[in-house]
Amino acid sequence: MSKTKSINPQSFKKLWKNKEATENIEPILLDIVKEYWVKVHKPQGNVTRKDLADRVFSEYIRLKASKDWICKCVTCWDEMPYTEIQNGHFISRGNMKYRFSEINCHPQCYKCNCILSGNYQRYTMYMIDKYWMDKVQEMMDDKTTKEYKQYEYEEMIIRRHQFITEFKKN
């Protein structure tokens, strides 16, 4: 476990829009921020709710797919601890509609996700096998967008973090 640094909630200007908001942070959100902000690799003042949602969602996807804390890459089938695997996106995470979609996100190793740019041919085969061609084609053709509100990020962060906490207890 990485060292947790002491956090001053006032320094999260982007995450918590103003002083009044920082004084009324739900304790659960502040605990999540303390746990994850170090993993975001940004100065405290530049961490956003979207950054935090990304980190929590990534861990959620990897833990949900793990068996005995081990994940299998969906494109090359290498097995590794969930902490060493990444959250791969079939549709680029730049598309906000699918950025936090469980259908779009699966464990991928660093080589497939980063070096091979998602290992797209094998990822497509995996998606067709798992969700059928119609769903995959629908996702690929979908041009609609999604804009998340701040409260939606917060709800997503809390809901996914509760799953992570329960999973780690068992």
Side-chain angles (χ1 to χ4, degrees), residues 8-31 33 49 150-151 154:
N8 174 1
Q10 303 301 332
S11 67
F12 288 89
K13 291 181 178 73
K14 286 186 181 178
L15 186 58
W16 316 114
K17 293 290 183 188
N18 57 42
K19 185 177 179 180
E20 181 180 313
T22 61
E23 291 170 351
N24 297 315
I25 296 172
E26 288 186 51
I28 181 92
L29 273 176
L30 186 55
D31 290 343
V33 169
R49 285 177 176 91
Q150 298 301 325
Y151 74 89
E154 291 174 5

Side-chain angles (χ1 to χ4, degrees), residues 90-92 95 97-98 104 120 124 127 132-145:
F90 179 66
I91 304 293
S92 166
N95 180 330
K97 180 175 180 182
Y98 291 109
N104 187 51
Y120 195 68
T124 303
M127 293 292 288
W132 300 92
M133 185 63 187
D134 291 344
K135 182 63 179 171
V136 173
Q137 195 64 50
E138 176 188 322
M139 288 172 67
M140 291 169 61
D141 293 342
D142 190 354
K143 303 297 180 213
T144 59
T145 59

Side-chain angles (χ1 to χ4, degrees), residues 5 11-15 37-48 51:
K5 295 183 180 179
S11 67
F12 288 89
K13 291 181 178 73
K14 286 186 181 178
L15 186 58
W37 89 266
V38 176
K39 298 176 186 178
V40 176
H41 306 296
K42 288 186 176 183
Q44 287 181 6
N46 294 332
V47 175
T48 65
D51 294 329

Side-chain angles (χ1 to χ4, degrees), residues 87-114:
N87 177 25
H89 293 74
F90 179 66
I91 304 293
S92 166
R93 66 185 206 146
N95 180 330
M96 290 303 291
K97 180 175 180 182
Y98 291 109
R99 186 179 194 126
F100 300 108
S101 167
E102 291 182 43
I103 292 174
N104 187 51
C105 297
H106 304 89
Q108 276 192 304
C109 66
Y110 174 79
K111 179 182 174 189
C112 290
N113 195 28
C114 297

Side-chain angles (χ1 to χ4, degrees), residues 3 15 20 25 31 36 48 52 58 69 75-76 91-92 131 147 149 157 163:
K3 277 200 266 185
L15 186 58
E20 181 180 313
I25 296 172
D31 290 343
Y36 283 93
T48 65
L52 196 56
S58 173
W69 308 99
T75 48
C76 72
I91 304 293
S92 166
Y131 300 109
E147 220 175 284
K149 306 282 185 219
I157 291 165
F163 172 87

